[in-house]
Amino acid sequence: MTDTPSSPIRLNPDLDLAALAGAFARGGRLHIPNIFAAEAADAVAGVLEAETRWKTTVAAGGAFFEMPLNGRLAEDPGKQSWLDDAKVDGASPLTQYIFDTRRLDQREGHEEGHRDAADAALDFMNSEAFISFLRALTGDDRVDLVDGQASRYRPGHVLTAHNDVSAGKNRLYGYVLNMTREWRADWGGNLVFYGADGHIEHGWVPAFNALNLFVVPTRHAVTQVASFAAKDRLSIVGWVRSHQKVGPQTREEARQAY
């Protein structure tokens, strides 16, 4: 079983590229509703909703680990307490996170021949058509590739403030491709951006089949998903990158950009 869409993943043909490019140039970040054609978006969302191959990744409260899950619990029952005890240290200035992740792979034969619409989405985002779209959208000819992983934020999951600078990664833009149907703002999991004064300057609620794109570095976070959230926040996330050296690349430069 491949769970791939019956037609290839493609951009929504109704997108107004000129208008989008103008909006991105003005703000350095952009929310694009209905980024994929409807059938493709439904296929990707369906895969993530049914996914069982998640791992929880944790860098919080002094704990650092990645743990395979069986459904929503630790695959190794003896390590479930690691997940139960994982929590953010609210006094720490360091970036911290707890969320579930699934690798996306562009190689053939991924996971013993199982490739699905989520894998196909990353393939498409590295296609000539999508790279050309990104170059035209951003006005940036340095765009060469897109990396990505599937993410699932469950109640209590969070990603604290950071700016996405990572030495040697040549990150140009961060992105979140939202695949959660019918999310509510008070469930948390909102992508928020901070101004120089520390206040929230802008933010977006997860919206189905919407692409959020922003310049690196930009200080941002994913707010904690509420304990009463009725579903999981699903997305594909990553960075638009270049083969060229760009931005702060040394540890000291990264520290100063933070």
Side-chain angles (χ1 to χ4, degrees):
M1 182 176 177
T2 60
D3 299 321
T4 53
S6 58
S7 61
I9 292 180
R10 61 190 179 92
L11 287 168
N12 177 355
D14 295 328
L15 295 175
D16 185 339
L17 181 53
L20 293 172
F24 187 80
R26 289 189 295 273
R29 53 180 174 253
L30 187 64
H31 171 83
I32 309 176
N34 301 314
I35 184 70
F36 287 167
E39 182 185 14
D42 285 337
V44 176
V47 163
L48 298 184
E49 289 162 351
E51 182 56 77
T52 61
R53 293 175 291 170
W54 299 104
K55 296 180 180 180
T56 299
T57 183
V58 173
F64 301 89
F65 61 86
E66 186 171 277
M67 185 175 296
L69 300 179
N70 179 7
R72 302 172 77 85
L73 300 175
E75 189 174 74
D76 179 351
K79 294 182 178 179
Q80 179 61 37
S81 63
W82 294 21
L83 297 179
D84 296 338
D85 294 341
K87 57 179 61 68
V88 165
D89 175 4
S92 173
L94 299 177
T95 300
Q96 300 179 75
Y97 53 81
I98 307 170
F99 60 89
D100 298 338
T101 181
R102 192 204 108 177
R103 176 182 176 180
L104 298 178
D105 203 315
Q106 293 178 265
R107 298 174 301 165
E108 294 297 327
H110 174 46
E111 297 287 342
E112 299 181 355
H114 182 107
R115 287 181 60 79
D116 56 31
D119 294 310
L122 183 60
D123 291 344
F124 173 72
M125 287 191 285
N126 281 277
S127 69
E128 182 177 350
F130 194 76
I131 295 297
S132 296
F133 170 79
L134 288 175
R135 288 175 176 170
L137 175 65
T138 61
D140 193 342
D141 289 337
R142 298 174 300 168
V143 172
D144 291 316
L145 69 152
V146 178
D147 65 21
Q149 61 180 311
S151 74
R152 179 178 71 172
Y153 282 67
R154 295 181 282 131
H157 287 183
V158 66
L159 171 58
T160 66
H162 61 291
N163 65 9
D164 282 347
V165 172
S166 183
K169 296 295 187 180
N170 301 332
R171 293 171 177 170
L172 300 170
Y173 308 98
Y175 77 89
V176 179
L177 175 60
N178 291 286
M179 284 293 159
T180 307
R181 308 178 205 262
E182 300 175 353
W183 190 263
R184 285 168 36 184
D186 55 3
W187 291 347
N190 302 306
L191 176 62
V192 296
F193 300 91
Y194 298 103
D197 59 2
H199 289 291
I200 293 175
E201 187 174 78
H202 198 85
W204 291 310
V205 176
F208 178 65
N209 191 23
L211 179 70
N212 297 331
L213 185 73
F214 52 92
V215 171
V216 172
T218 298
R219 191 161 169 77
H220 63 286
V222 176
T223 63
Q224 188 172 47
V225 175
S227 60
F228 55 83
K231 58 177 63 177
D232 300 326
R233 176 191 187 271
L234 302 171
S235 62
I236 294 175
V237 302
W239 295 275
V240 178
R241 295 166 50 194
S242 177
H243 293 314
Q244 305 173 41
K245 178 179 177 180
V246 297
Q249 295 298 303
T250 69
R251 183 171 295 180
E252 178 60 20
E253 288 173 324
R255 185 192 67 79
Q256 292 175 358
Y258 187 83

